[in-house]
Amino acid sequence: MLYYWLIISTVLCCLVNGQFGPFKQDFDYVTVRRGAHMFYWLFYTTADVPNYTERPLIVWLQGGPGGSSTGIGNFEILGPLDLSLQERNYTWVNNFNVLFVDNPVGTGYSYVDDWSYYTTTNDQIAVDFVNLMRGFYESHPEFEGVPLYIYGQSYGGKMAVDMGLRMHEAEQAQTIRSNLRGIAMGNAWIHPVDLTLTWGPLLLAAGLVDDAGYENIQKAAREAERLFNEGLYVESTLQWAATQREVFAATHNVDFYNILTKMPAWGPETRSDYEIAREIMIRDLSFTSMTRQEEYNLNYLMNNPVKEALRIPAHVRWGSQSGRVFDMLRGDFMKPVTEGSQLMWMDRLQWPGADNYRNASRNPIWENNQLEGYSKSYGNLRFFWINVAGHSVPRDNPAGANAFLRDMTRFG
């Protein structure tokens, strides 16, 4: 009981002047269209500069769809405080202004007035994002000329592609005063069928499945591909979830986001394949993972002390609409965005620098005399391989993340 009260005391000390924690910040809702309300949480950089506008603005997009940037991206991956409410020494706020956005609407603290206002396509998500940024710049005009970068992880990477295109269109039309310099996609869900087909070969090469397990996984993945090719997009999404179940069966529940992680034993699972897969995608963690004793439960943290500090409306419950967000996008979930991006699958895509990129050298990434990965580039296009990292590179290998941040922004 003493430990419980110590925790509460720690949380309460962070509730200062309508903010959570000691870091300079701002937060607000933007009504991106009638009935749809999107939430953002801005952290100003702590870099030693005369003015925070001397550093770029980075938007962080969580995956899912339905994963909360203000919760997962912030407290679990790269924000200034971790889940123990201790300062994170590798937070991106050290070098950048970071804008966590709960999108699509219905994610995290964002909410819709009724189900008719959810998004169903990637382009609708992108249009909402442009409207969110218009509202942000109206409240923060000092950021209009500041270099803007959009970083998307997992499904956030898929969203980032169309967001970048829509932002560029708005800048060209002069309907938004922003300074978009680039987008980055980390382990992005930009060609879902191709990615699903890689699970079996990766696990076989890593020794995590035998030939029989490999064949079961690939059979399920090829069925997802067949359904997609026939235009049965919702059915393909359901089969993707069934493929994930085959992975768990063959590996005895390998951590889906980091195959190097040791997994605890768990009992019989009563949820459907789809419900399990949806939960994993939204939370960006294996559903069998456990919170360490010194850490807060994220759901409690976001729905109690953080909600109170940020003055979130009483009727909004963090994450309560996230499952519906995912469900509404089932028909779009398996659709690729590689035609719009020309940033991934470079060896297959046709673009002016394709030959030069293919012929470019693959260079090592050295950070503090440690080999953290490799990079390959041509012009403004970069591809990074980061060592010793699972799905969330900024969390698993902060030094490797510094390399691509510095390459893209010249800071870090």
Side-chain angles (χ1 to χ4, degrees):
M1 184 61 69
L2 177 61
Y3 182 71
Y4 173 82
W5 285 112
L6 287 175
I7 287 179
I8 296 299
S9 176
T10 302
V11 174
L12 292 178
C13 77
C14 297
L15 312 186
V16 180
N17 298 325
Q19 67 176 46
F20 190 86
F23 296 89
K24 181 176 172 59
Q25 61 195 258
D26 196 17
F27 46 86
D28 204 358
Y29 278 95
V30 174
T31 298
V32 294
R33 52 191 158 83
R34 184 174 63 90
H37 315 281
M38 193 173 292
F39 183 77
Y40 69 81
W41 194 354
L42 169 69
F43 287 90
Y44 296 89
T45 185
T46 58
D48 186 15
V49 291
N51 193 300
Y52 57 82
T53 57
E54 295 180 27
R55 290 299 176 93
L57 174 66
I58 290 181
V59 174
W60 178 262
L61 305 172
Q62 204 59 38
S68 167
S69 296
T70 66
I72 299 168
N74 182 9
F75 288 104
E76 293 189 354
I77 300 179
L78 57 89
L81 295 176
D82 61 21
L83 273 177
S84 300
L85 300 186
Q86 300 299 308
E87 294 189 13
R88 179 179 279 116
N89 59 10
Y90 62 84
T91 175
W92 287 16
V93 177
N94 288 342
N95 292 299
F96 307 97
N97 302 287
V98 181
L99 185 66
F100 295 102
V101 178
D102 278 344
N103 77 296
V105 286
T107 299
Y109 288 133
S110 297
Y111 66 96
V112 294
D113 292 344
D114 65 59
W115 288 7
S116 66
Y117 298 115
Y118 285 110
T119 52
T120 58
T121 70
N122 212 49
D123 188 59
Q124 290 174 1
I125 294 171
V127 171
D128 278 358
F129 177 78
V130 174
N131 288 331
L132 178 280
M133 293 306 296
R134 285 196 180 100
F136 172 79
Y137 286 121
E138 286 177 6
S139 298
H140 302 275
E142 71 275 15
F143 277 106
E144 289 179 349
V146 172
L148 170 68
Y149 298 91
I150 302 172
Y151 279 71
Q153 175 175 287
S154 191
Y155 206 90
K158 176 176 177 175
M159 294 187 290
V161 173
D162 285 328
M163 288 175 179
L165 293 172
R166 284 292 190 174
M167 286 290 292
H168 179 68
E169 290 174 359
E171 287 184 351
Q172 295 295 105
Q174 298 184 351
T175 61
I176 192 171
R177 291 189 294 273
S178 56
N179 185 15
L180 180 63
R181 294 289 184 87
I183 64 171
M185 299 170 288
N187 296 311
W189 193 243
I190 63 173
H191 202 299
V193 169
D194 279 4
L195 288 169
T196 304
L197 287 166
T198 67
W199 294 349
L202 172 64
L203 294 168
L204 183 64
L208 291 169
V209 299
D210 57 14
D211 288 339
Y214 166 81
E215 290 298 336
N216 289 338
I217 294 168
Q218 291 309 98
K219 180 180 178 181
R222 286 191 290 267
E223 178 63 8
E225 180 184 37
R226 182 190 69 79
L227 291 167
F228 177 84
N229 290 338
E230 292 184 6
L232 301 172
Y233 301 123
V234 172
E235 291 81 357
S236 181
T237 298
L238 297 176
Q239 183 59 32
W240 155 82
T243 306
Q244 192 162 291
R245 169 70 83 173
E246 292 295 339
V247 169
F248 290 138
T251 62
H252 297 280
N253 306 311
V254 68
D255 188 319
F256 206 75
Y257 283 144
N258 191 338
I259 63 174
L260 302 178
T261 302
K262 295 180 180 180
M263 298 298 292
W266 54 281
E269 179 57 63
T270 59
R271 291 174 294 178
S272 70
D273 295 346
Y274 173 75
E275 289 171 328
I276 294 169
R278 179 183 64 188
E279 177 69 10
I280 292 172
M281 290 292 280
I282 289 173
R283 297 302 176 191
D284 194 33
L285 292 168
S286 174
F287 68 95
T288 57
S289 65
M290 298 182 293
T291 300
R292 292 187 291 272
Q293 186 180 26
E294 70 274 13
E295 291 184 345
Y296 291 90
N297 175 277
L298 184 61
N299 188 65
Y300 168 82
L301 191 66
M302 298 300 288
N303 279 307
N304 291 279
V306 175
K307 179 177 178 177
E308 178 185 347
L310 304 190
R311 302 189 295 271
I312 302 299
H315 72 277
V316 175
R317 182 167 178 80
W318 180 85
S320 65
Q321 296 184 338
S322 295
R324 178 59 61 178
V325 170
F326 193 102
D327 292 345
M328 295 300 289
L329 286 158
R330 282 186 299 184
D332 206 59
F333 184 80
M334 295 296 284
K335 294 180 181 178
V337 291
T338 45
E339 291 182 3
S341 68
Q342 292 189 355
L343 285 172
M344 293 290 218
W345 279 255
M346 282 80 78
D347 291 334
R348 278 199 324 228
L349 291 173
Q350 298 300 312
W351 61 288
D355 289 339
N356 291 32
Y357 174 80
R358 279 191 289 269
N359 294 327
S361 59
R362 187 170 181 258
N363 299 315
I365 298 171
W366 295 98
E367 291 285 323
N368 300 319
N369 295 318
Q370 297 289 321
L371 180 62
E372 300 293 358
Y374 305 88
S375 67
K376 187 176 181 180
S377 65
Y378 176 73
N380 290 330
L381 176 64
R382 272 96 169 102
F383 192 98
F384 287 81
W385 295 261
I386 305 298
N387 295 342
V388 196
H391 194 60
S392 296
V393 172
R395 176 174 56 202
D396 297 339
N397 189 339
N402 281 344
F404 62 69
L405 283 167
R406 186 170 55 251
D407 180 87
M408 192 172 190
T409 69
R410 301 298 181 261
F411 297 102

